[in-house]
Amino acid sequence: MAVVVVSGRRVLVIDTATDAIVTGLVTVRAGGVDEVSSRTVVDHRRHAEMLTTLMRECLTESGWRGVDVDAVVVGCGPGPFTGLRVGMATAAAYGDALGIPVYGVGTLDAIAAAAARGSQARSILVVTDARRREVYWARYADGRRVGGPGVSAPAVLQAELAAEPVDLIAGGAPPHWAGGTEPASRNPGRPVVDVAPDVVGLASVIAPALLAGSPPDPLVPLYLRRPDAVELADQKKKRGS
């Protein structure tokens, strides 16, 4: 069966896998992805409270109605359990209500795409805060993911960096990335840029599938480890046994 490539798509974009609540509207065409309206608010405690409000603001600003949206793109992590499920549940509900496809993308892939814009870096390491003094990470070479996503102690990842240097570190590494010092001081010559996932980067990752009208894969959250609530329950069971 021939693949039909449409001229363009109006897309709602959501990501709550990091401390940043990201949402907005983009148009996806063969020539690229154009931002129409977006909001990014850094507040890891208010994902559920703020997301739908920010979505409404973007629709109002753009002049679009909900029924004008052709598809939804949502970041699937890796990220903390609570924040990540807010965005994914909202995206799934929105798509179900309107009968439109919902495409999941890797949040680290979107950060890499955002970091690569306007950069000459051929190799990128994306690092985000996984809490518990750990980081989520993924490596990219010439626009392709070549390692990860994974979750590691910063010291483990930094040891690997010494053996396999990269041109650019992106994603807003947390303070414990370098034992309380800036990561640049431990990685001389490797620029470190604080990049959150953005609506253009998120949509760019899945743009070919959007334009081809390919059916989306099932939404699968990428936690990389069990949520705190499960671990706490397990600890209580062990104490009671």
Side-chain angles (χ1 to χ4, degrees):
M1 185 175 70
V3 174
V4 178
V5 178
V6 298
S7 59
R9 291 289 194 192
R10 291 183 170 187
V11 181
L12 168 68
V13 183
I14 297 169
D15 189 283
T16 57
T18 70
D19 286 350
I21 308 162
V22 178
T23 190
L25 302 164
V26 300
T27 54
V28 180
R29 299 187 177 90
V33 177
D34 295 315
E35 179 183 315
V36 177
S37 178
S38 72
R39 296 289 188 276
T40 299
V41 176
V42 179
D43 189 337
H44 73 276
R45 298 180 181 277
R46 301 177 65 198
H47 288 84
E49 179 183 343
M50 298 188 66
L51 178 57
T52 54
T53 297
L54 298 176
M55 290 166 56
R56 284 196 298 269
E57 288 180 3
C58 289
L59 285 167
T60 299
E61 185 174 87
S62 68
W64 295 6
R65 299 171 301 161
V67 294
D68 293 329
V69 176
D70 300 310
V72 182
V73 170
V74 61
C76 294
F81 178 80
T82 302
L84 182 55
R85 68 179 178 176
V86 168
M88 295 188 68
T90 301
Y94 198 96
D96 184 62
L98 293 180
I100 58 177
V102 181
Y103 295 84
V105 301
T107 298
L108 302 186
D109 296 348
I111 293 174
R117 291 198 303 269
S119 170
Q120 299 300 314
R122 297 189 60 184
S123 59
I124 297 174
L125 173 69
V126 175
V127 181
T128 62
D129 192 356
R131 301 172 189 168
R132 305 186 204 164
R133 301 187 66 79
E134 292 182 321
V135 292
Y136 297 121
W137 65 271
R139 283 176 171 270
Y140 301 83
D142 296 323
R144 296 183 304 107
R145 184 173 359 115
V146 295
V151 59
S152 300
V156 173
L157 195 54
Q158 287 166 351
E160 294 177 359
L161 270 181
E164 287 188 74
V166 295
D167 297 330
L168 182 69
I169 301 172
H176 55 263
W177 162 255
T181 64
E182 289 299 316
S185 65
R186 293 284 293 274
N187 299 283
R190 297 171 190 153
V192 180
V193 293
D194 188 356
V195 180
D198 64 23
V199 293
V200 172
L202 286 154
S204 296
V205 173
I206 201 71
L210 282 165
L211 292 175
S214 303
D217 293 329
L219 292 180
V220 178
L222 187 59
Y223 297 126
L224 297 185
R225 63 188 181 199
R226 296 184 303 169
D228 290 339
V230 173
E231 293 189 354
L232 182 59
D234 286 349
Q235 291 171 12
K236 289 181 177 178
K237 286 181 182 179
K238 290 178 181 178
R239 287 198 296 267
S241 61

